[in-house]
Amino acid sequence: MKILLQNIDVPGIQNFEVYRRLGGYSAVEKALKTMVHSEVVKEVKDSGLRGRGGAGFPTGMKWFFIDHTTDKPKYMICNADEGEPGTFKDRYLMQHNPHLLVEGMILSSFAIESSTAYIYIRGELFSILHILEKAIGEAYANGFLGKNILGSGYSLDIYCHPGAGAYICGEETALIESLEGNRGNPRMKPPFPAVAGLYGCPTVVNNVETICNIPWIVNNSGAEFAKLGTDKSPGTKLISACGHIRYPGVYEIELGMPVNEFLYSNEYCGGIRDNHQLKAVIAGGSSVPVLPADLILRTPKGEPRLLSYESLSEGGFDSGTMLGSGGFIVMDETTCMVRQLLSYARFYYDESCGQCSPCREGTGWMEKILHRLENGRGRMKDIDLLASVAKNIEGNTICPLGDAAAWPVRSFIHHFRDEFEWHVNEPLACLNMHQVTV
Amino acid sequence: MNFQFSSESIELISKIIKRYPEGRQKSALIPVLHIAQAENHGWLTTEIMNQVAEMLQIQPIEVYEVATFYSMFSLKPVGKCIIEICMTGPCCLSGAEELLAYLESKLGIKAGETTPDGMITLKKVECLAACGGAPVIKNGFNYYENMNFKKADLLLEKCTHESFTSHSNPYHQSL
Ligand SMILES: Cc1cc2nc3c(=O)[nH]c(=O)nc-3n(C[C@H](O)[C@H](O)[C@H](O)COP(=O)(O)O)c2cc1C
């Protein structure tokens, strides 16, 4: 069952005519001609759709929280800042089926009674921004955007806004700051964006993939959507798979698919690259805990692990993980876990906005200690020091980037402690191993 | 040196400002800095930032704050082409470190440096969100995926061409 990638390979689907011929914008017609705002919100609530940006928050609920008591304008924002390591699904959707996002944006904006919407897209992706602007232009030309859409009295403008290279701007309040022309420093919550977001007005921020589900839900009803996937994880999900697998790429799966099937079926990852074995997987983008082979394939209870919010988190921090953004990073037995972790530590150090000291200082410490371990200059007590720095960041920052930086460190040490110890005990061997040759 | 936006850019900027509510013209800051940087060979001078501040009716410090925060803005001169190589986890699993070492030895510079002829700046960047095509290089506003030494050679060759630059106005269609 495909919702998001259904027509992705149809030649010319980027063009309005082709998209329209295949039933595109029929959900906008349906909503604007036969539904009121709150009915769209209700369908999305009934669907059980959970945000696909990483946190998994129920979308209908988020929309329901929008403050309608004020006469301030309301803003709909699409989060297209995709930057979580391992995640590359939103770009794929926007590049190949931009009208799906535009249609979803019209419906989402209508649902929250917003007449101005922004797509915040990471600055590196100007080529995609052009694709989106072309699709938006076509939607205006065909009467699906602008004033009094389809004679319904509803008006909407959508604009694209580029970032300029900052992972933190994917965090919704940092994104709002950035859209206001500021540094991407996250805001304290509350107030939540639903009450005071962009320019102090009620705002919804949703991920690209989340929004791309809305046309299907409006066309087919929330109840139909809820029948897909599992009880707690309705619908389908894009999984972007990379690393040591035969077929890296973006796949749409019905939630609840066994990890084993996803990893080894030729329809998906196609198994581990030739002659190698599975060592570990980061299942939901680099911010979620890593799991060793046995725990990603089976839960601690010995049941098959499924690609769903609830199955992946089974076992808690000790032996579970999270679905996150669906960035599925596969590592085979050749992977040095210390070196791999160092690259993520460097990432979070680089991307910390610097606002909260535990994160600003702690990410630097973690990077430094890992660098030392990796280069054969580590001490045994460094391993616990590393874990304790991570623990001290966790929960002590304004936004979850601190947690996101801490979890990989804690889980890599938790599951692969022997490799860290080996780096201390065998500094020369580890230096030899890491000689980069051209 | 006197920086001046092209008349074309000034027109574009006034259009961009209209995308935001009245009095919120500061929202146009990042788009305007992208355009300014492209018009000044890939970097921002204090003079340019002051001009941008005046244009958007904000304080110069507000522009400096933003220009120093975002990794795509440079406050010092860069080469005609910038080769940005992703060094985050997934790319490292697929040979980014070897690729970086290759480029460094081939160009005779370290990451962060520019070749003496001013042609190429080599830059390490973090996740470009194209991990399925790792290792990934960004040049201008183009992604080069599944890179290897041979493809890197071809890209370097391209960079030697006069007209091939990383600093075209990103709002222009022909990227
Ligand atoms: C450091 C950090 C980076 C994030 N990056 C993204 C991102 O690139 N894209 C995204 O959609 N959400 C990202 N999020 C999540 C957003 O804060 C927000 O939850 C999401 O956009 C809401 O949309 P959804 O409910 O549709 O998932 C990030 C969160 C954090 C803490």
Side-chain angles (χ1 to χ4, degrees):
Chain A
M1 175 67 214
K2 290 208 169 102
I3 291 177
L4 303 160
L5 302 188
Q6 179 67 29
N7 293 327
I8 202 115
D9 293 329
V10 175
I13 191 74
Q14 285 186 329
N15 300 322
F16 179 84
E17 293 76 30
V18 178
Y19 181 78
R20 180 84 174 122
R21 200 171 342 111
L22 292 170
Y25 291 102
S26 58
V28 172
E29 286 180 311
K30 180 176 176 184
L32 267 56
K33 289 184 175 163
T34 70
M35 297 167 86
V36 294
H37 314 275
S38 55
E39 284 171 317
V40 179
V41 177
K42 182 170 181 304
E43 287 303 327
V44 173
K45 244 177 147 182
D46 290 349
S47 75
L49 173 67
R50 298 172 63 167
R52 305 301 197 217
F57 190 82
T59 307
M61 190 106 81
K62 189 184 270 192
W63 294 3
F64 185 72
F65 287 148
I66 272 286
D67 183 1
H68 286 286
T69 61
T70 131
D71 46 11
K72 285 182 185 168
K74 288 143 199 93
Y75 291 104
M76 179 70 215
I77 300 177
C78 170
N79 188 341
D81 194 48
E82 187 166 59
E84 171 86 3
T87 315
F88 48 98
K89 62 190 178 72
D90 297 339
R91 178 176 72 131
Y92 185 73
L93 269 177
M94 293 186 285
Q95 180 171 2
H96 296 285
N97 200 352
H99 280 288
L100 183 62
L101 178 62
V102 176
E103 184 174 10
M105 282 295 279
I106 299 171
L107 295 165
S108 309
S109 306
F110 175 72
I112 64 159
E113 301 187 69
S114 159
S115 57
T116 308
Y118 296 98
I119 300 175
Y120 183 103
I121 182 163
R122 60 179 294 171
E124 291 86 346
L125 296 184
F126 257 98
S127 59
I128 309 287
L129 183 145
H130 289 302
I131 292 173
L132 291 173
E133 286 196 336
K134 176 166 173 284
I136 290 169
E138 289 177 334
Y140 273 105
N142 288 279
F144 286 97
L145 278 175
K147 294 230 166 359
N148 192 18
I149 300 170
L150 306 176
S152 65
Y154 176 65
S155 304
L156 174 67
D157 290 309
I158 301 180
Y159 304 108
C160 293
H161 181 99
Y167 165 67
I168 190 60
C169 291
E171 194 281 331
E172 58 184 12
T173 61
L175 185 155
I176 289 169
E177 281 291 321
S178 182
L179 189 42
E180 291 185 1
N182 302 323
R183 298 165 76 99
N185 288 351
R187 297 176 179 170
M188 290 283 241
K189 294 192 250 189
F192 288 91
V195 176
L198 184 63
Y199 312 128
C201 301
T203 302
V204 163
V205 180
N206 272 133
N207 171 259
V208 172
E209 182 186 346
T210 310
I211 295 168
C212 287
N213 276 296
I214 307 299
W216 195 96
I217 293 172
V218 169
N219 277 326
N220 299 276
S221 87
E224 281 302 305
F225 187 89
K227 286 184 191 157
L228 302 167
T230 72
D231 276 359
K232 288 185 180 141
S233 309
T236 65
K237 173 92 189 78
L238 295 184
I239 307 285
S240 56
C242 66
H244 296 146
I245 47 174
R246 282 175 62 199
Y247 310 127
V250 179
Y251 301 101
E252 180 170 9
I253 57 133
E254 192 165 334
L255 282 160
M257 173 182 284
V259 173
N260 192 66
E261 180 183 346
F262 181 69
L263 194 50
Y264 290 102
S265 153
N266 278 335
E267 219 180 305
Y268 304 102
C269 301
I272 312 304
R273 61 179 180 169
D274 291 342
N275 303 320
H276 289 280
Q277 289 105 45
L278 176 65
K279 177 172 184 174
V281 172
I282 301 174
S286 69
S287 303
V288 311
V290 66
L291 286 180
D294 53 335
L295 279 173
I296 186 66
L297 295 173
R298 277 172 299 278
T299 66
K301 287 191 202 134
E303 287 156 4
R305 182 84 75 178
L306 311 178
L307 287 167
S308 68
Y309 293 96
E310 63 278 14
S311 177
L312 283 169
S313 63
E314 218 171 286
F317 194 90
D318 264 3
S319 44
T321 181
M322 284 181 279
L323 180 62
S325 59
F328 196 85
I329 309 169
V330 180
M331 291 158 269
D332 71 16
E333 85 289 350
T334 64
T335 311
C336 167
M337 299 310 270
V338 178
R339 195 173 190 83
Q340 181 66 187
L341 178 59
L342 171 60
S343 86
Y344 296 118
R346 196 176 50 226
F347 172 80
Y348 290 107
Y349 176 45
D350 206 77
E351 302 297 342
S352 170
C353 79
Q355 193 176 204
C356 314
S357 344
C359 175
R360 180 186 63 239
E361 303 300 321
T363 51
W365 272 63
M366 296 196 298
E367 198 265 349
K368 218 184 209 162
I369 299 169
L370 277 162
H371 200 265
R372 194 152 76 208
L373 282 166
E374 174 59 14
N375 287 288
R377 286 182 282 107
R379 297 157 301 186
M380 208 44 100
K381 64 179 184 201
D382 278 344
I383 302 172
D384 287 329
L385 179 61
L386 193 55
S388 92
V389 174
K391 205 155 172 49
N392 282 324
I393 300 175
E394 230 181 297
N396 291 324
T397 55
I398 291 176
C399 91
L401 187 136
D403 300 341
W407 288 341
V409 170
R410 284 187 56 204
S411 63
F412 269 71
I413 297 177
H414 177 66
H415 294 294
F416 298 97
R417 194 175 183 101
D418 52 336
E419 271 186 55
F420 289 79
E421 291 175 353
W422 183 81
H423 275 69
V424 176
N425 290 328
E426 305 284 348
L428 281 178
C430 103
L431 273 182
N432 277 336
M433 181 170 91
H434 293 317
Q435 201 74 44
V436 173
T437 45
V438 174
Chain B
M1 274 205 297
N2 254 327
F3 175 82
Q4 210 146 34
F5 279 104
S6 67
S7 55
E8 203 183 9
S9 288
I10 289 177
E11 202 175 305
L12 174 62
I13 289 168
S14 69
K15 268 195 211 147
I16 291 175
I17 291 174
K18 293 203 185 84
R19 297 175 175 179
Y20 310 98
E22 224 175 300
R24 300 292 183 176
Q25 71 281 357
K26 191 184 176 187
S27 279
L29 181 51
I30 287 179
V32 172
L33 287 177
H34 276 301
I35 295 167
Q37 178 163 284
E39 291 210 347
N40 191 50
H41 313 287
W43 69 294
L44 297 166
T45 62
T46 308
E47 185 207 346
I48 293 175
M49 291 189 282
N50 292 347
Q51 259 189 51
V52 169
E54 203 172 312
M55 204 167 198
L56 296 178
Q57 298 155 290
I58 54 179
Q59 294 302 315
I61 180 76
E62 297 180 84
V63 181
Y64 309 157
E65 274 182 351
V66 164
T68 52
F69 184 84
Y70 295 91
S71 66
M72 289 179 75
F73 297 131
S74 174
L75 298 189
K76 51 181 207 290
V78 291
K80 178 177 75 79
C81 292
I82 310 185
I83 298 208
E84 300 171 43
I85 171 163
C86 174
M87 297 305 293
T88 313
C91 276
C92 287
L93 291 176
S94 303
E97 288 158 325
E98 288 78 6
L99 185 61
L100 174 67
Y102 179 74
L103 286 167
E104 285 183 335
S105 83
K106 182 113 191 186
L107 293 169
I109 54 171
K110 290 278 167 211
E113 296 174 353
T114 301
T115 53
D117 60 3
M119 288 298 254
I120 295 175
T121 297
L122 187 60
K123 185 176 168 189
K124 290 199 263 189
V125 295
E126 295 298 343
C127 193
L128 291 168
C131 324
V136 184
I137 283 179
K138 173 176 168 285
N139 178 253
F141 286 93
N142 293 308
Y143 278 25
Y144 296 78
E145 302 186 32
N146 298 304
M147 288 304 278
N148 51 35
F149 296 170
K150 208 162 148 197
K151 286 186 179 172
D153 284 342
L154 288 174
L155 177 59
L156 291 184
E157 156 70 24
K158 246 175 148 179
C159 291
T160 61
H161 293 275
E162 189 80 44
S163 61
F164 192 77
T165 158
S166 301
H167 315 308
S168 51
N169 183 334
Y171 277 97
H172 290 175
Q173 273 296 345
S174 55
L175 285 173

